[in-house]
Amino acid sequence: MNHYEVLAPELVLLGLAFALVTLELLFPQLRKDLVAYLTAASAIGVLVASAFFANRSDSFKDLIQLDNYTTFFRILFLGTAALLAIASAHLVRDKLSNAGEYYGLLLLGVIGATYMAAASELLTAYIALELLNFTLYVLVSFDRKDPRSGEAGLKYILLSAFASALLLFGISFIFGVTGTTSYAGIRHALEAGIGEYRGTLVVGLVLLLTGLGFKVAAVPFHMWTPDAYEGAPLPVTAYISIVAKAAGFALFLRLFSQAFMPVISDWRWMVALLAALTMVFGNLIALQQVNIKRLLAYSSISQVGYMLIAIAALSHDSATALLLHLGGYAITNLAAFIAIIAFYNATGGEEIRDFRGLAERHAGLAMTLTIALFSLAGMPLFAGFMTKFILFQAAAQHGLLWLSAFGVVTSMISLYYYLMVIRQMYVLKPRDGDGRLRVPLLTSAVLVVLALGIFFVGIWPTPLFRAAASATRLLF
Amino acid sequence: MLTIAIFLPTLAALVIALTPRSRPDLPRAIALVFSLVVLALAAIMFVSLDRGFQGFQFTNHVTWVRTSLGGFSFQYYVGLDGISAALVLLTAFLNVVAVLVSWGIALRPKEYFIWLLVIESGVLGVFSSLDLLLFFLFWEVELVPMYLLISIWGSGRKEYSATKFVLYTVAGSSFMIVGILALGFTAHTFEIPEIMRNGVREAAIPLGFIFFALFSGFAVKLPMFPLHTWLPDAHTDAPTAVSVILAGALLKMGGYGIIRLCVGLLPQTAHDWGLAITLLGAIGVVYGALVTLRQTDLKRLIAYSSVSHMGFVLIGVGALGQLGLTGATVQMVTHGLVTGMLFVMVGLVYERTHTRQIPELGGLARQMPWIAAAFVVAGVASLGLPMLAGFVGEVVVFLGAFSKYAATTIVAVSGVVLAAGYILWMLQRVFFGPPKEQWAHLGDARHWSEWLAMGAMTASIVAVGIYPQWIIDAIDHGVVPIASRLG
């Protein structure tokens, strides 16, 4: 049996992606926002269909693993893509060309991201990673009229290609030591003992961590992030910060828990160090940002620091906490970015000072953005507090209290820069001539749902926690 | 009943959020009704607290989030003992007063009352939480509303002050949460009664570190010298009602935290640090009083006198005996009433004169005899005149501390002398002396809300001053179990 049905959701998605591109070729007069809604509808369709894979465990030639872990991330990515497609509708119609390709690439990226979570073999994981990266290269430089977009794309390609090379180099070391690229095989080889090759293994791990560190933007490998975030069209920024980041961690988590668990003492300190550096520098540099996209770039870097804690404290507890945190992070960031997109569509501003007096110009938008920022800062009752808290306590339970303490202190620092945005919106008066803003009905509805979602996860995370726990059970 | 009392203000905030913009008079009425109900509930609980039964009462215990791994879970666990019942009553009372003195708020009244009520929920929650995580959760609630209240409705350098407040508080609470996590993992539970029963034994993390982390969080809030510098700014620039809540209820969270967590859960470590706490308290008393003498802004003057008065709380705690702890708690309650009233009075004066600079004022007793009279009552209560509230707390603290640290206590008593100096001097300069031409047109208290706020505060100060036993009785109920573990 070849179990081709394991590949079904992604094959359907691939077909839909091409269909969207063709659709625009065939009917160039088609309204561009209609394409966005079609994309959202197809993503949601596949999402609902893939929910039927829940609690099924299967694999395709030991390359692609289907289990609850894969399903969890598939649903996360598809949901994000659907909402971002809706959020892109007006922006793409008004400011960008080639809408069909844009939405096609959006779906194509989801395939890469899902396979990053599903891969159980190093080269498959690498190819999935590259698939996602290639769609991102194009998407980042999609705004042809804005030179920043092209610049960001170029920087991203160069650094990312460099990281890919390191990653491949690392993979070759691992292969050299263990003689296999499958996660289970690596684990067997490591459990059997590798004797004199331990030094080679550590070099391979360092290279692997460097490559992955680049992809998820951990300090000191984060340099591409602020530029890419700032140059990319806003929905693409959101896409990178949610889908690409979560996919990076999906790969990270499955690889390290399924393959490298036996040698945890060799890499734990490296990850812990990365986490500490990332939290400290991400938060400190964020303090001085004036552009909202760059601010969110650094804020997302600091979030990576918190997520790395979970990898350093690798266990079923912390893996569950990581998935929970990723879920809450996705909802929160979606709310923040969609609010900012709505603001950008209405005013064209993306500096923090442009948000002056937003509370009086559009109370709902200001409220949603505030909720999202508080959640990112980890204020109680919001998703960010609960998920971060469970993450920190999981780490503390597994002997990394010092790292949790780092996390707590730095996330308190982060409150300051989020508060400065809120200050602009609530404390300061609007500039003269700034009138009330209009936000499309559908966007408002999406924002309300996301804001409620933030509270839901913040107050009663049990359902999401159960899902995360069942998703990670098979990893250990 | 306790849960209802905690969340009623939040419910009120939601109701206010639903009122139409065209009815700006509705929010304050709703806020008043709801805070009166909360006060009634708090009073009922205070009275019906069973003094004979040791332990927490009115408890609600629900497992809120169960993470199924490692036995860790979030609990919703609240309850009252004498200490918390007294502070809950104080908070509920001050909130009614705060609503009354905000009656004339015209700028964005809807948001104003929402934030005021949200703070009340948070503070009530802090005083009644029996789970460390829940405690922290409630602790953080006041932060953002406070920032907005000061920076939108404040005066002067309001944004600077609000930001300073946030930075200090956040720095403090980041230490605190680390302490809470460490304590919880050392004790394998986050439930306060459980930890009190079993005690915490030495573990991977030195207990001194946990104590220090928790203490720094509370010391910022109290505020303890030398972490007090946010307080004068925040007080001076906050609107009247917010100053009342800040001085009356929020500072008490710091003292409460020290008594409940630092002393209650880590008695052994507290023993080692008793002298240091007392010394810091004494420095705070004297330093605060000296700085107060030099102030020319009415609000700043009262703010610094708060620093001085909260020093007494630390002295009482540092004595680590039943009498000292009772004294510290009584001092918190009376300081809440007295300083709350002083801020109310300053607010009334400021509304009329639009200045708080003492040199510009003078002879106001002629135009506003009733306000002057009430101000004098609050003032002499603050300097510790017998038969009024301020006296009770200070005397009990001194009695508790003298047997242990005689020299320090004597130094601290000089703070009372200085207090007489700055209060009487201030009263003399503001209300007596030659009347000034520019204030001739001013009138006395007129609106019923002003009368009610003034009257209620005066009555409470006199009631505590003449017969303090009703409040000491309750507080003893909470202090005895804590003191018994100090050995």
Side-chain angles (χ1 to χ4, degrees), chain B residues 232-290:
Chain B
D233 287 320
H235 266 318
T236 311
D237 297 337
T240 304
V242 176
S243 294
V244 173
I245 294 289
L246 187 60
L250 256 62
L251 302 189
K252 307 305 171 286
M253 294 178 6
Y256 176 77
I258 292 178
I259 293 177
R260 171 79 71 222
L261 301 190
C262 291
V263 179
L265 301 186
L266 300 164
Q268 222 36 57
T269 327
H271 237 291
D272 303 341
W273 292 94
L275 180 61
I277 296 174
T278 313
L279 277 178
L280 282 168
I283 296 175
V285 169
V286 178
Y287 170 86
L290 286 174

Side-chain angles (χ1 to χ4, degrees), chain A residues 20-59:
Chain A
L20 283 168
V21 180
T22 335
L23 189 71
E24 210 209 6
L25 287 178
L26 293 180
F27 307 99
Q29 268 74 47
L30 194 69
R31 279 181 51 189
K32 299 301 179 250
D33 44 344
L34 214 59
V35 186
Y37 301 132
L38 277 177
T39 315
S42 28
I44 288 171
V46 178
L47 187 157
V48 172
S50 66
F52 289 106
F53 278 126
N55 297 324
R56 262 196 63 184
S57 195
D58 209 339
S59 98

Side-chain angles (χ1 to χ4, degrees), chain B residues 328-405:
Chain B
T329 316
V330 174
Q331 171 72 4
M332 290 201 286
V333 174
T334 55
H335 172 266
L337 294 174
V338 172
T339 309
M341 174 152 180
L342 280 172
F343 277 120
V344 170
M345 302 320 299
V346 173
L348 291 182
V349 171
Y350 179 72
E351 266 174 34
R352 286 166 177 72
T353 61
H354 299 287
T355 178
R356 291 189 308 254
Q357 291 302 315
I358 297 174
E360 292 176 25
L361 302 166
L364 291 179
R366 197 168 301 239
Q367 286 85 34
M368 33 184 107
W370 283 103
I371 290 182
F375 210 132
V376 169
V377 171
V380 294
S382 170
L383 64 82
L385 194 76
M387 302 303 279
L388 292 175
F391 175 71
V392 185
E394 284 167 19
V395 161
V396 184
V397 166
F398 289 144
L399 290 179
F402 190 77
S403 56
K404 215 160 180 182
Y405 306 111

Side-chain angles (χ1 to χ4, degrees), chain A residues 92-404:
Chain A
V92 172
R93 183 189 63 193
D94 301 338
K95 301 216 162 68
L96 305 179
S97 47
N98 306 62
E101 287 165 27
Y102 175 91
Y103 293 111
L105 285 168
L106 223 52
L107 291 186
L108 216 54
V110 171
I111 300 176
T114 312
Y115 279 160
M116 281 166 75
S120 57
E121 191 265 345
L122 276 171
L123 286 176
T124 315
Y126 175 77
I127 292 168
L129 180 71
E130 286 305 291
L131 175 60
L132 175 61
N133 273 334
F134 273 85
T135 60
L136 290 180
Y137 300 151
V138 184
L139 283 172
V140 166
S141 40
F142 216 85
D143 192 350
R144 280 184 298 187
K145 280 165 265 167
D146 185 353
R148 281 188 311 171
S149 182
E151 182 196 328
L154 193 62
K155 270 186 190 157
Y156 187 27
I157 292 179
L158 287 175
L159 285 172
S160 192
F162 180 60
S164 299
L166 289 178
L167 202 60
L168 271 182
F169 199 31
I171 291 175
S172 68
F173 270 89
I174 304 291
F175 178 71
V177 173
T178 60
T180 172
T181 54
S182 103
Y183 293 179
I186 294 174
R187 189 187 184 115
H188 277 299
L190 293 176
E191 271 166 354
I194 44 168
E196 58 192 302
Y197 296 116
R198 189 158 170 276
T200 322
L201 176 77
V202 171
V203 174
L205 282 172
V206 169
L207 289 168
L208 215 56
L209 276 176
T210 313
L212 283 173
F214 262 107
K215 302 292 180 186
V216 300
V219 176
F221 315 118
H222 65 285
M223 293 82 76
W224 60 272
T225 321
D227 292 321
Y229 273 47
E230 193 187 0
L234 260 165
V236 178
T237 312
Y239 193 77
I240 302 177
S241 89
I242 302 166
V243 173
K245 195 143 286 180
F249 273 98
L251 192 161
F252 214 143
L253 185 60
R254 193 191 277 272
L255 174 61
F256 276 70
S257 59
Q258 290 197 326
F260 296 123
M261 203 56 177
V263 288
I264 186 165
S265 55
D266 283 329
W267 52 263
R268 166 174 276 175
W269 62 274
M270 300 188 226
V271 180
L273 189 70
L274 274 184
L277 281 176
T278 309
M279 288 186 291
V280 171
F281 284 96
N283 280 311
L284 289 184
I285 303 175
L287 287 175
Q288 6 175 321
Q289 301 308 317
V290 293
N291 179 293
I292 190 92
K293 281 157 125 183
R294 286 185 90 88
L295 180 87
L296 285 176
Y298 282 105
S299 123
S300 83
I301 291 174
S302 51
Q303 298 286 337
V304 169
Y306 308 138
M307 297 173 197
L308 282 171
I309 295 181
I311 308 261
L314 195 57
S315 61
H316 188 201
D317 291 348
S318 72
T320 308
L322 175 60
L323 259 61
L324 178 69
H325 185 66
L326 279 171
Y329 170 81
I331 297 175
T332 305
N333 254 14
L334 274 173
F337 272 108
I338 293 178
I340 293 170
I341 292 170
F343 178 79
Y344 178 75
N345 284 341
T347 65
E350 56 178 51
E351 302 296 314
I352 293 174
R353 60 167 189 276
D354 294 330
F355 286 81
R356 258 190 97 109
L358 182 61
E360 283 170 48
R361 302 176 68 192
H362 195 289
L365 206 55
M367 186 51 82
T368 320
L369 193 52
T370 306
I371 291 171
L373 292 178
F374 277 153
S375 173
L376 283 173
M379 294 298 287
L381 299 185
F382 300 95
F385 174 82
M386 190 58 89
T387 61
K388 230 191 273 181
F389 196 89
I390 291 175
L391 202 147
F392 290 159
Q393 74 87 20
Q397 236 164 19
H398 291 271
L400 287 173
L401 182 70
W402 67 273
L403 205 53
S404 298

Side-chain angles (χ1 to χ4, degrees), chain A residues 317 385 389 408 423 459 465, chain B residues 64 67 69 133 137 159 177:
Chain A
D317 291 348
F385 174 82
F389 196 89
V408 172
R423 166 177 167 264
I459 292 170
F465 186 88
Chain B
W64 170 19
T67 58
L69 304 168
L133 299 175
L137 223 78
E159 274 191 49
I177 182 71

Side-chain angles (χ1 to χ4, degrees), chain B residues 89-169:
Chain B
L89 184 62
L90 173 74
T91 309
F93 175 68
L94 287 175
N95 214 69
V96 173
V97 175
V99 172
L100 284 176
V101 297
S102 316
W103 209 253
I105 288 281
L107 174 72
R108 291 151 86 177
K110 216 166 115 172
E111 286 166 83
Y112 178 88
F113 285 104
I114 289 177
W115 296 129
L116 209 59
L117 288 162
V118 169
I119 292 181
E120 187 183 12
S121 266
V123 179
L124 291 177
V126 166
F127 290 144
S128 20
S129 302
L130 294 182
D131 183 273
L132 289 173
L133 299 175
L134 189 68
F135 177 88
F136 181 73
L137 223 78
F138 278 123
W139 181 279
E140 291 288 285
V141 167
E142 50 85 24
L143 186 62
V144 173
M146 209 63 193
Y147 172 79
L148 293 173
L149 280 173
I150 298 177
S151 60
I152 297 178
W153 288 274
S155 57
R157 288 194 302 170
K158 51 190 181 181
E159 274 191 49
Y160 166 83
S161 302
T163 311
K164 195 168 176 182
F165 166 78
V166 167
L167 292 182
Y168 268 80
T169 310

